[in-house]
Structure formats: structure tokens, C-alpha cells
Amino acid sequence: MKNPHPPAVDTPALLIDLDIVRRNLKEMQKKADECKVDLRPHIKTHKIPELAQLQLDLGARGITVAKVSEAEVMAEAGIKDIFIANQVVSETKLNRLAALSKKVYISVGLDSISAAEKLSATFAASGLTIEYLIEINSGLNRCGVLPGREAVELYQATDELPSLQFKGIFTHAGQVYAAGSLAEVMEVSRHESKTMVETARALKEAGANAEIVSVGSTPTMKIWQGQEGVNEIRPGNYIFHDAIQISLGVATVEECALSIAATVISRPSGERAVIDGGSKAFSSDKGAHGKEMASGFGIVLGKRATLARLSEEHGVMNLDPEELLEVGDTVRIIPNHACAVVNLFDRAYGMRSGEIVEEFKIAARGKSQ
Ligand SMILES: Cc1ncc(COP(=O)(O)O)c(C=O)c1O
């Protein structure tokens, strides 16, 4: 990040370096093109329709979301191809999904016969059909059926149900966020793809064609070289990167597009400065799925400082006593987890060469239903 000095905005403020964003997006798109796979970025990272549109303009096939409400925001903004990489099971959400499917192409994940029955009943009642992808557990141990036989059995059970169309399989190897080395990241990535290719093969033997075989997280895709049989990737965080990606060894500070500008409101001692943002600006995220960040709550740009403690509206930095930082000065900090931070702000400021050039409404923030 060339310019660590924050521009003139009130703080705490969310800043997006638009040149870095474009570079990150182009790089992942290039990888997808070279590997001859579709890129379907997860937009839960930025939650901004204009950035989703930029991803599509640069070549993405469609977008991925986690929630029906995120899909609604993106559809409203004109995005036409949306995959909900999650389980949708409540009646309210299923009805909203059916309504949405009349306006845009929408597909959805599922991992149980119970979810499939509910989905089928809602769509059959509306005279609609929906394409679904079976979620495979490739090691995260969150949602998903086990690879191989369990996936085949679920397909065989769901194939009987009306209004559902089998489209493929997807997985997210989020356990990569607990990796202790780049070699471990590579191993998880290899396992993620291999598991999916084997499951697609097992399905084929059972007479099912998985048209889409979809993998992806930012770490497993940053080091990916392609895999015969995988034809879609769904990274999300790569648009911004963050301190967690740096700690895993898959990104550099120069690739981090998102930062928070904050003002020093107190310098009680040489070793301590307090800024005007705490857990309601930085989130309390110290690392997802296992890896604890050693460096506090973010990377303080251009200063020998650690954001060591957060209360809701205060961030306490431990400083080198020689560091020149006075009350009223501003600092810029790369957060640990960009996706969690974006969800805390109403708007973000787009910058080029240190100047604010655009303001974005974070239209899907808070859309967790
Ligand atoms: C199902 C699914 N797909 C894709 C992603 C994107 O992964 P990342 O945030 O590492 O880019 C996530 C992230 O949580 C996810 O849950």
C-alpha cells in the first residue's frame, strides 16, 4: 500500500484502494481463464453491488452469496446469475427464494433430504423449478455430506423429488484458515479439489452428471494451478485480502485493498495510544476457523504499533515510545478479517492514489437473513 496517510474523511472510515481491487480481480480472473474454469466470486466480502458488477465485467460467470437477503440486494441491483452457497430451509426464506427465482437465475446448495423436501415442496407449489448443488464436506466439518457414497445417496433421494434439478456439487475448504504454513495451504487446496473430482466420478458411476464442480476459498485458490474435473472457483476475500491472508502467506500488504482510517483520541503514555474505533469498527475477529492472529487486530500501516486491545468504541495501540503520534493524528489499519469489517459500515470510500474518488453504499450489509 503506497500511501499510508489517510485522506480527509471523518473516522473511523472504511477505505477501498480501487487500483488494488482491480489488480486483485484481474489476477484471479486470469487464473480462472488460464485454468479454463468459471469464476463465481463470493460477494459476502464486499457486499457492494457495484463491485459485484465490476467482477462480472472483468469476466466472472455469476456471483455467490451466503444468504437470500444478499441475493435480493444483488438481484435488485441488476445481477442476473446468483448461487446461494448455503442451506435454505425456513418457509419464509424458501418463499422469498421462489419469488426471486422468477426474476433472476438462482441456484442453491443443499446437504440433506429434509432441506431438499422443503425446497421441492415450495417450488412445486409455485409451479417453478430450481437447480441445486449438493454441498460436500471436504474437511471443514461445517455443512455438507461426506464425499463419495453419502453424496451419491443424497442425489438418489433428491432426484425423486419434483421441481428440483441437480446441477452439481460444491465445497469450501475453510479449514485452510487453520493452516500453519504455505505447504499446509497447498495440501488443503489439493485435497479440496481431489475430493470433488472423486465425488463427481462416483456420481457419474451412479448415472448423475455433475455439470458444475465448484471449489473455493481465497487461500486455496491463490495457490491453485487448476485441476482436471473442477470447473468453477468461488473465492471471495481475494478482492480485498487482509491480515489473515498475509499471515497464511497467500497475500502481501501491497495486495490489501481494504483499510480502516482511525483518529488518535488519546496518548496516555509513550507506549500507548487510543484510536476512535474498537470492535464495532474492526470486529473482534482474531482469525477464522482456528488460526489466532499474533499481531493484534490488524496491521497498523507505517507505524511501529500493534492494535492490541479493543473495546466497543476504543482501540488501544501498543507503541514504540519513539513513534510520533499525537492526539488528532490519523492512522490506517488493515483489518484481520475484511469480510467481517465491511458488514460493520454503512459506506466505504473508494480511493485512487490516496484521494477519495467514489463513495459506495454497502447495500448488503446486515443482510444475514
Ligand atoms: C461456501 C463458501 N464459498 C466460498 C467462500 C469464499 O471463501 P474466502 O472468503 O476464503 O474467499 C466462503 C467463505 O466463507 C464460503 O463459505
Side-chain angles (χ1 to χ4, degrees), residues 42 44-45 64-66 83 85-86 135 140 142 170-172 174 176-177 215-220 234-238 245 289 337 339:
H42 206 311
K44 51 115 204 189
T45 302
T64 302
V65 301
F83 170 49
N86 207 346
E135 180 164 6
L140 177 57
R142 193 173 65 181
F170 79 103
T171 196
H172 166 66
V176 71
Y177 283 102
V215 300
S217 71
T218 290
T220 58
R234 304 181 328 279
N237 183 277
Y238 77 103
Q245 304 295 348
H289 306 310
H337 189 181
C339 317

Side-chain angles (χ1 to χ4, degrees), residues 17 24 29 37 79 95 101 140 143 154 169 172 198 260 269 310 325 330 340:
D17 187 312
N24 291 344
Q29 187 62 54
V37 297
I79 289 169
N95 287 331
S101 78
L140 177 57
C143 293
L154 181 57
I169 52 177
H172 166 66
E198 287 170 1
I260 296 165
S269 72
L310 302 179
L325 252 190
T330 41

Side-chain angles (χ1 to χ4, degrees), residues 274-334:
V274 182
I275 55 173
D276 61 351
S279 60
K280 286 180 175 167
F282 291 89
S283 88
S284 304
D285 215 320
K286 289 209 88 182
H289 306 310
K291 186 170 170 111
E292 268 274 307
M293 298 294 288
S295 57
F297 291 92
I299 298 170
V300 186
L301 293 171
K303 304 284 174 202
R304 284 155 295 168
T306 307
L307 183 54
R309 277 189 289 135
L310 302 179
S311 41
E312 285 178 49
E313 302 295 2
H314 298 77
V316 179
M317 296 199 302
N318 293 340
L319 288 180
D320 182 326
E322 306 277 287
E323 193 62 76
L324 296 173
L325 252 190
E326 293 174 16
V327 169
D329 285 350
T330 41
V331 288
R332 248 172 89 184
I333 298 173
I334 296 173

Side-chain angles (χ1 to χ4, degrees), residues 39 107 112 117 129-130 153 164 167 170 213 229 238 247 261 272 300 313 340:
L39 174 60
S107 54
S112 68
E117 281 167 353
T129 56
I130 185 159
E153 284 170 3
L164 300 187
K167 188 71 177 174
F170 79 103
V213 179
Y238 77 103
S247 80
R272 180 151 46 100
V300 186
E313 302 295 2

Side-chain angles (χ1 to χ4, degrees), residues 13-61:
L14 199 58
L15 309 177
I16 298 174
D17 187 312
L18 296 172
D19 294 323
I20 300 178
V21 159
R22 188 169 274 272
R23 226 168 49 220
N24 291 344
L25 296 186
K26 280 186 160 174
E27 214 162 282
M28 192 60 81
Q29 187 62 54
K30 185 161 167 265
K31 172 169 303 205
D33 294 345
E34 282 171 0
C35 295
K36 298 190 172 47
V37 297
D38 287 330
L39 174 60
R40 183 179 286 278
H42 206 311
I43 62 75
K44 51 115 204 189
T45 302
H46 56 73
K47 289 176 171 275
I48 298 173
E50 292 91 328
L51 294 185
Q53 191 56 55
L54 179 60
Q55 290 173 309
L56 294 167
D57 292 346
L58 291 172
R61 170 70 194 263

Side-chain angles (χ1 to χ4, degrees), residues 102-136:
K102 291 182 191 159
K103 299 184 202 151
V104 297
Y105 169 76
I106 192 143
S107 54
V108 67
L110 61 82
D111 75 350
S112 68
I113 186 66
S114 168
E117 281 167 353
K118 292 179 203 301
L119 188 66
S120 167
T122 304
F123 276 72
S126 321
L128 300 164
T129 56
I130 185 159
E131 292 183 336
Y132 71 92
L133 282 79
I134 293 180
E135 180 164 6
I136 308 296

